[in-house]
Amino acid sequence: MRVRGVKPFASAVGLLFGLLCAVEAAKVNKHKPWIETTYHGIVTENDDKVLLDPPLIALDKDAPLRYAESFEVTFTKEGEICGFRIHGQNVPFEAVVLDKSTGEGVIRAKDKLDCELQKEHTFTIQAYDCGEGPDGGNMKKSHKATVHIQVNDMNEYSPVFKEKSYKATVIEGKKYDSILKVEAVDADCSFQFSQICSYEIVTPDVPFTVDKDGNIKNTEKLNYSKEHMYKLTVTAYDCGKNRASEDVLVKINIKPTCKPSWQGFNKRIEYEPGTGSLALFPSMHLETCEEPITSIQASIMLETNHIGKGCDRDTYSEKSLHKLCGASTGTVELLPAPSNSANWTVGLPTDNGHDSDQVFEFNGTQAIKVPEGVVSTTLKEPFTISVWMRHGPGSREKETILCNSDKTEMNRHHYSLYVHNCRLVLLLRQEPTESENYKPAEFHWKLDQVCDKEWHHYVLNIEFPAVTLFVDGATFEPFLVTEDYPLHASKIETQLTIGACWQDLSGHDNDTETLSETLTGGSALMTQYFRGNLAGLMIRSGKLENKKVIDCLYTCKEGLDVQLPEEVASAVKVEFNPNQSSLTLEGDDIESFEKVMQHISYLNSRQFPTPGIRHLRVTTTVKCFNEETCISVPDSEGYVMVLQPEEPKISLSGIDHFARGAAEFESTEGVTLFPELRIVSTITREVEVEVEAETEAEGEDDPTVQETVVSEEIMHNLDTCEVTVVGDELNGDHESLEVDLAQIQQRALEMSSSNVGMVITGVNTMANYEQVLHLIRYRNWHTEALFDRKFKLVCSELNGRYISNEFKVEVNVIHTANPMDHANNAMVQPQFINQVQHASVDLSGHNLANMHQSSVVPSAATIVIVVCVSFLVFMIILGVFRIRAAHQGTLRDQENGKENEMDWDDSALTITVNPMETYEDQHSSEEEGDEEEEESEDGEEEDDITSAESDSSEDEGGEQEDQQGSSRQQQLEWDDSTY
């Protein structure tokens, strides 16, 4: 170490000694270097410089100060960064330290990089310091940081065609949309340089053109007699303007013969929701190549199995769908969407990919217990069971859909619906009767639909001993019916389960909610688990579903349709399948057949259909005079693209803050929560508008097109509106939400309520929901301590697919006080202390209660404390109410005269009671009595109280001046500062 001093020798020696100690201490390598945790870098291929973000800098807390006052100190290498180490296999990068003292470094490529071989590199890097002493002992390493480096591409490759040559054959006299497609590829790794931006026909004066996708088509009708074959040279350009390394040869042969096929068929057909029916083949015609045709048969298939439960249907709750279809009473939904009132399906896996179409998945390990009371213990015959089911290949084990069995002991199955070996089986044991004869107990149906992995709708109409099964609207009779004795009389309760069957555990507590297959000891609570998907499981007790309701529940909202022209109605036979996803045409006249084909359309009657692709296939069979197939017409395939519907924005608006008198809350009518509620639904869409823009140079109008967002109001149904209490739950002892049930039932709606609010359900118009919501009232018959109540309203459509805004309402309680009661109470001297104490409590509730007598006379100090505390509470409450009133007045002014924004009830003005006036009037009478009886003893007490009164008067700004006059005997102060 070298030290140069400028101070006296003694001081220099001391300073030097201290520095030496400091340096010796600094030589200890205590800290690890520090670097960032993640680095991102960019490097261009064929270059070695890596641009890092953030820069590569390692820091070490062991690095000491370089200068100390006037001494120059040369330190050792403790705290310096000696290097970086890269971890990873075959990493083509190295890290170099630029400055050991600052820890700055760089990462560079060892060799030239190739983006085509690897676009990105990821590895870890670690910094290490120089250790201690000359030998670098006790070297410290930093943590490992992750480095991501992206290799930028250079346009070094040219396009190359996939094929060495292309060939195609066309029929003369036709113009083709696409004869063939040439395709080139580029080996560059980046999107810009690897994409083929254009193709070009190099050969001049040929009747062909090629588009940017490589599709070659003829620009005029070709003539076989003029040219039998065309040879074209085609080249390609990538988006970096590089031309193909080699052009490709295209040979197009012209043939005089034709191939029979459907012409004028667009493969992609876009359907815009809400536009009604859309013609699928408006320009379609059949090319028969002049063959004599005697009959034509065509099948048009619309594939919708991947949409919802087999096709597009309304996604309302199953109970609402039953109502819409006419099954208005007696239906119980066993697989409802999870909610506060129906929570037994919570935790069951669902399929959320079909726009709120509630589908539940059972994988062979899950099952649910239906709570008691949802379904009556003994079903009243006749009754109906309906369910949507998708089930795969059958297994040897029984798979239970629905089961009602004994809770304990005997494990008897009273009724159940299960699948076994691709058979649907209904077990229905009769209840005990006087006769012990055999009776039908099991009904078996062997159905392909049970195991085809497709959605099907099953309805069982049970009117013992007859059981009728409907599958997708078609009737099926059981192929086997077995008999059994009726059940023996028993008082054992039953358990209804879905997805498995309940089985008692001997010696086990049967109230457990565990639904696993096995428990300790190997006994199972649930058996015969179901594997598949279920939806819409319903039981309707007391009535059978008629065919009209069943067809309505199964009918799709989308399908094929045809409007037959009168002149061809008798020439072509048309048949549809039940859900109108396919139709068959038969005829012998080509012209009439083509007209019918041109009138086939796709229709989706849902206001908000499920978007996506529906594949189309046209299969055609043609016969000639010998009744044999003479020509072959290939299948035509395409698809209908249902576009995304404009999503509605449901807006709730109205009075969101108002006040009413306490008497209204306590009345039998209560307070209406949403008196002026409005429900509006709008959609926004972009439209192109022509705008006349005048050019500066010529002064002419130059029309330009601009996109403008337009909002349109639409009408649709709602299926749920929920009113929820914000804050504490409703206390049924003194408050409630009420609505006129007759009005609810009149509009075919349902209402359920709980301590958290009220839910109104049912598919109905927004106008009817408005009318019902106007009737909801809030009652509270204990308003003494109530300041306000807040509520939240949310409405939705299509089982929660579209949800409105949260409309919050705050209602304030206006408390009034009787001035005569306080005047009378003020005249009673012994009540002084109790009045002050009660006033401080009651002011917090905006009400003054009658005081109770007390015979206790407090001390002067107690009186002063109570008076001060009461006055302070009063002033705080007074300030809060004045601030609130001023704020509400400002909002009212900003609304430019919208009177309904703050609907204050003027029938009960706010009254603010000044407890100090009551106190001083009472104290004056008390002082007079005390002076007559104990003037000398109470002198000190009077001085204290007088001092307190003086302070209070100063705080109030002189409002209590001359309080003992006869004109100031009334105890109420009207607060009119905000009116």
Side-chain angles (χ1 to χ4, degrees), residues 855-874:
S855 60
V856 179
V857 179
S859 66
T862 305
I863 294 173
V864 173
I865 293 172
V866 172
V867 170
C868 292
V869 172
S870 301
F871 177 70
L872 179 60
V873 172
F874 162 72

Side-chain angles (χ1 to χ4, degrees), residues 201 203 206-208 216 230-234 248-252:
I201 297 176
T203 307
V206 290
F208 299 92
I216 297 177
Y230 288 90
K231 293 183 179 180
L232 313 175
T233 301
V234 180
V248 71
L249 177 65
V250 178
K251 296 180 181 180
I252 300 178

Side-chain angles (χ1 to χ4, degrees), residues 816-825 911 913 969-972 974:
T816 59
N818 186 349
M820 293 305 296
D821 292 342
H822 294 283
N824 293 335
N825 289 336
I911 300 172
V913 180
Q969 293 187 6
Q970 58 182 352
Q971 302 300 312
L972 299 179
W974 292 89

Side-chain angles (χ1 to χ4, degrees), residues 521-557:
S523 299
L525 280 178
M526 292 286 180
T527 60
Q528 303 173 8
Y529 282 92
F530 179 76
R531 294 174 178 84
N533 297 97
L534 298 176
L537 180 57
M538 302 283 292
I539 288 183
R540 189 182 186 192
S541 180
K543 288 188 178 181
L544 298 177
E545 298 286 23
N546 58 46
K547 187 66 166 60
K548 183 179 179 180
V549 172
I550 295 172
D551 290 341
C552 174
L553 292 171
Y554 174 70
T555 301
C556 296
K557 294 294 184 178

